[in-house]
């Protein structure tokens, strides 16, 4: 899941809302949280949360996080092949938050790490895992972009905190632009999943 917009507070508020909801339901639905933050440490408040497995603002540590989650999902995949679906559903939700654009480039240049990341978001995506890329720039994703960004565009699962005529990440037809010509407010975002594009309500910035 990619989150796009120039207002960092607006994006961060949305991510915090998601994470806080998951934490509140920790007893019924356990989660394991990995956060690769930016140098501004905007998500430092989660470092000591009960569900946190690893927090870091060093880009290279994100490779460790990818490796750790991959190993868990690889075991779950094997369990699925053995018909242990119920056991897999009892496993915690693995959440990887990548809140630094430097991390995207770092993982993309590590051949082993990017291949594991690819499997996490494709082959293993139904095995109770959620990846949030929360520091995406409002800029075109081209052939020259890093592999991780190209993967996100291929998946097309995005929350866009921009007016459609101002965003530069996805292609939007004139018909869709006319349908959404009214400017969004700070409690709204566009959700893109596959070919579907809808406006949704989000928590307003505090």
């Amino acid at each position: 899941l990619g989150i796009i917009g120039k207002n960092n507070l607006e994006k961060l508020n949305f991510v915090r809302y998601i994470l806080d909801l998951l934490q509140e339901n920790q007893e019924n639905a356990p989660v394991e949280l990995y956060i690769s933050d930016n140098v501004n440490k905007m998500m430092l408040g989660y470092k000591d949360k009960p569900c946190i497995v690893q927090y870091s603002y060093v880009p290279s540590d994100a490779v460790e996080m990818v490796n750790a989650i991959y190993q868990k999902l690889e075991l779950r995949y094997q369990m699925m092949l053995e018909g242990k679906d119920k056991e897999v559903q009892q496993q915690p939700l693995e959440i990887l938050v990548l809140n630094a654009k430097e991390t995207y480039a770092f993982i993309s240049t590590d051949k082993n790490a990017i291949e594991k990341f690819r499997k996490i978001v494709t082959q293993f995506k139904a095995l109770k895992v959620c990846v949030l890329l929360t520091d995406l720039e409002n800029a075109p994703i081209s052939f020259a972009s890093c592999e991780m960004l190209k993967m996100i565009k291929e998946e097309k699962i995005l929350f866009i905190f921009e007016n459609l005529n101002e965003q530069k990440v996805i292609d939007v037809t004139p018909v869709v632009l006319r349908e959404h010509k009214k400017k969004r407010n700070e409690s709204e975002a566009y959700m893109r999943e596959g070919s579907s594009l809808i406006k949704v309500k989000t928590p307003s910035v505090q």
Side-chain angles (χ1 to χ4, degrees), residues 34-52:
Y34 298 76
I35 297 177
S36 177
D37 208 353
N38 55 34
V39 292
N40 294 324
K41 305 177 188 176
M42 297 180 73
M43 301 195 73
L44 184 62
Y46 288 90
K47 184 179 180 181
D48 298 317
K49 297 288 185 181
C51 63
I52 195 78

Side-chain angles (χ1 to χ4, degrees), residues 56-204:
S56 176
Y57 54 89
V58 180
S60 58
D61 289 345
V63 172
E64 292 180 19
M65 299 179 192
V66 168
N67 287 335
I69 292 174
Y70 179 85
Q71 288 175 5
K72 292 178 182 180
L73 299 180
E74 195 173 37
L75 288 173
R76 294 179 190 181
Y77 186 72
Q78 186 59 41
M79 290 166 67
M80 290 285 286
L81 293 178
E82 295 170 359
K84 299 178 181 177
D85 301 43
K86 186 175 180 180
E87 287 89 337
V88 171
Q89 293 307 312
Q90 292 172 344
Q91 301 299 310
L93 174 65
E94 306 296 332
I95 304 174
L96 175 61
V97 179
L98 300 177
N99 191 45
K101 58 179 70 73
E102 296 81 7
T103 297
Y104 312 153
F106 194 94
I107 293 175
S108 295
T109 55
D110 185 312
K111 186 176 180 180
N112 186 47
I114 194 62
E115 285 308 311
K116 288 181 176 179
F117 181 85
R118 187 187 303 276
K119 288 188 78 171
I120 288 172
V121 299
T122 55
Q123 184 177 353
F124 294 162
K125 65 182 181 181
L127 300 176
K128 301 190 69 175
V129 61
C130 176
V131 179
L132 300 174
L133 275 69
T134 56
D135 194 24
L136 293 175
E137 294 182 322
N138 183 24
I141 297 175
S142 66
F143 181 77
S145 300
C146 71
E147 285 302 309
M148 183 177 289
L149 295 187
K150 286 190 277 190
M151 267 186 259
I152 291 300
K153 187 171 183 180
E154 288 168 10
E155 289 296 310
K156 295 182 180 176
I157 304 175
L158 302 168
F159 273 85
I160 303 170
F161 288 83
E162 298 279 358
N163 294 311
L164 277 190
N165 63 336
E166 296 173 344
Q167 68 79 34
K168 303 172 184 177
V169 178
I170 63 173
D171 298 323
V172 182
T173 66
V175 172
V176 173
L177 282 175
R178 284 196 296 271
E179 288 176 359
H180 298 282
K181 63 182 179 180
K182 182 181 178 182
K183 290 191 174 183
R184 55 170 287 274
N185 59 49
E186 63 181 23
S187 65
E188 295 174 330
Y190 291 98
M191 185 177 75
R192 171 72 176 262
E193 183 171 4
S195 60
S196 171
L197 179 67
I198 59 173
K199 186 183 285 186
V200 295
K201 290 289 184 181
T202 65
S204 48

Side-chain angles (χ1 to χ4, degrees), residues 16-33:
R16 286 171 175 162
Y17 176 77
I18 294 172
L19 296 181
D20 290 346
L21 276 182
L22 290 169
Q23 285 186 110
E24 288 173 11
N25 199 34
Q26 174 86 340
E27 279 191 26
N28 301 316
V31 299
E32 293 185 340
L33 179 60

